[in-house]
Amino acid sequence: MSETVTGYIDHVIFRNEDNGYTVMVLKGMEEGQELTCVGTFPAITQGVSIEASGNYTTHPVYGKQFQISSYVEKMPEDALAVERYLGSGAIKGIGAALAARIVRRFGDDTMRIVEEEPERLAEIKGISEKKAMEIAEQMTEKADMRRAMIFLQKYGISLNLGAKIYQKYGQSVYGVLQENPYRLAEDISGVGFRIADDIASRIGIHTDSDYRIRSGMLYTLLQASGEGHIYLPKEELFFRASRLLGVDVSYMEKHLMDMVVERKLILKETEEGTVVYPKRYYNLELDSARMLCELNILCPEDEYMIQKRIERIEKETGTKLDEMQKQAVISAAQHGLFILTGGPGTGKTTTINAIIRYFEEEGAELRLAAPTGRAAKRMTEATGYEAQTIHRLLELNGMPEGEQEGRAVHFDRNFENPLEADVIIIDEMSMVDIALMHSLLLAITAGTRLILVGDENQLPSVGPGNVLRDIIRSGCFSVVELKKIFRQASESDIVVNAHKINRGEQVTINNKSRDFFFLKRYDADIIIRVVIALIQEKLPRYVDAKPYEIQVLTPMRKGLLGVERLNQILQRYLNPPDEKKK
């Protein structure tokens, strides 16, 4: 249940100008009483009287506070309140002494004079006509903002969001909201289609409004990008948008063509039919393809000399490469862009090591990277060569000014400041999405060799795009696929069965293997007992691990075998409460 407090802002303890988060002291509720208030506010003026709604909370360090969810500024009504307001620094150029002189001259009529007859302020010593008009202008601006915030709160818009909206549109906010509130979803960080749609329904905009349908289609494509899709087939887009908006598919075609004309969406004809891209993803894909082609230059190298160098590397490292691995080293030496792929246990790491030694002998400067910290660490351990995450390689540097939050990241390494290296090797490429690939390519100049390593059958990237698979299947670049499973890997039934699944063959389940079992149980309690027995007793000795190093996966969050219940049960057995524990 929300409560209401009224008082004037005595002083501000803390304010973050970036997001408007403020801690301030409110006075005047009762004689001598003060209250610490916290909240997010577009602008705060000391001395202003406010009526605030919210709830009392208790901070572990600072004690009782009032968390403000919304407030209304109340214009000062008597001479004392007016003097306090004007003298607080709210109006630039008026201090406490000048505020006292203004109130002494005009008394309770001061606010009316400032708003309606500001030229009369020049009657007071120390205020010129120019300064009088500047004071009036400031008062008008503050009144405009106050009215706009009240207007926005009427439609359930929070103070924080209201501040962002007002900063973007100023006094045109009324027109934007009444005509097309869906503009908010495109223009303002933190506003998606759902929020804009909620505001539109409160304003009374019809469900078949042109703006709503267009915004809903853009939102549908954005949701699809969250599932990993750079585009959607036209029919799929129409079906999803129709379900989201609750309007018939027949409304969509016209709006689609309008957005194509405005270059917000791109249509492309494929063998499967028409597909629809958001403009940003189309440009990322097109630009990435162009840059890949620019890197794909032939590097004439004598094959006999390469073979001799491979033999020398084999001798020095004590490894024996098979024919496909040797072909991979030759292709890496002869192409500006090379892709090495293959399933688990096919010797990708051995081949990378041979490629590294090959270029090291040439005195080339190498850089190694992978999409995640764990993959980079594994790469370092496997090659003995320092590997970084791609983000670190590109020198991630927060957000560029003016970029919408969450829409893009900014790297210091780019086309103006490219990476200084002769050879760049990227491992675990299946995890790289189109945006990261584009950023990487921007930072590589033609003449630098780029070697991409990964397994296209592993899980694709979290972000949109299936980059490695598309590059391999384009048929435009030099690709070597390793297929032979080496002896050590062939002892693992996980590896053997993974390859069988990829080939569409039946996996072997006889529970005689070292690392691949299938224990069929039907009752939830029995399954839990088996899991606990495996983790506590059997698996730790078998795989040389501590019980808490073993991970349990379940396909659901709730239910008898869901994550929430399993975690509680596992904690009871593996990490029971103890007085010595925190």
Side-chain angles (χ1 to χ4, degrees), residues 235-391:
E235 291 71 24
E236 175 75 7
L237 169 63
F238 285 3
F239 172 73
R240 288 189 184 201
S242 168
R243 206 167 52 183
L244 168 79
L245 298 166
V247 299
D248 193 75
V249 169
S250 59
Y251 285 89
M252 308 283 167
E253 188 75 44
K254 170 191 173 295
H255 296 296
L256 176 69
M257 297 321 295
D258 286 347
M259 285 191 282
V260 168
V261 169
E262 290 167 20
R263 304 289 292 171
K264 285 185 175 175
L265 299 179
I266 307 289
L267 286 189
K268 202 164 167 58
E269 294 300 329
T270 69
E271 290 170 9
E272 286 81 38
T274 307
V275 300
V276 186
Y277 283 84
K279 181 185 167 190
R280 174 174 180 249
Y281 288 128
Y282 180 78
N283 288 342
L284 283 176
E285 197 168 75
L286 192 67
D287 213 21
S288 296
R290 175 187 60 78
M291 291 188 283
L292 284 165
C293 290
E294 285 174 4
L295 290 175
N296 188 31
I297 53 179
L298 281 171
C299 311
E301 294 275 347
D302 184 276
E303 200 161 313
Y304 175 75
M305 295 301 294
I306 299 172
Q307 291 279 14
K308 282 289 175 198
R309 197 179 286 178
I310 290 171
E311 285 170 21
R312 199 160 57 246
I313 290 165
E314 285 181 318
K315 203 181 244 180
E316 287 168 4
T317 57
T319 53
K320 188 80 183 136
L321 302 181
D322 76 353
E323 276 314 302
M324 287 312 288
Q325 290 175 315
K326 285 178 184 173
Q327 186 52 54
V329 179
I330 293 166
S331 291
Q334 291 180 335
H335 296 88
L337 176 66
F338 168 65
I339 296 96
L340 175 66
T341 184
T346 53
K348 291 195 297 292
T349 302
T350 305
T351 311
I352 294 170
N353 282 332
I355 290 169
I356 289 170
R357 302 291 172 268
Y358 179 91
F359 286 115
E360 264 189 330
E361 281 201 13
E362 283 193 348
E365 187 181 342
L366 289 101
R367 303 290 293 274
L368 274 60
T372 65
R374 179 169 288 192
K377 187 175 177 222
R378 211 165 43 235
M379 198 180 186
T380 302
E381 288 164 357
T383 62
Y385 217 95
E386 193 202 343
Q388 303 168 281
T389 62
I390 298 172
H391 286 78

Side-chain angles (χ1 to χ4, degrees), residues 38-39 96 117 160-161 166 189 212 218 225 235 243 251 296 366 381 392 395 433 439 454 483 503 509 514:
V38 295
E117 303 176 68
N160 192 20
L161 195 52
Y166 187 76
S189 159
R212 182 171 187 264
L218 284 170
S225 75
E235 291 71 24
R243 206 167 52 183
Y251 285 89
N296 188 31
L366 289 101
E381 288 164 357
R392 265 191 76 186
E395 297 171 25
D433 64 24
S439 296
K483 292 181 178 176
R503 293 195 298 265
I509 302 172
R514 177 172 166 73

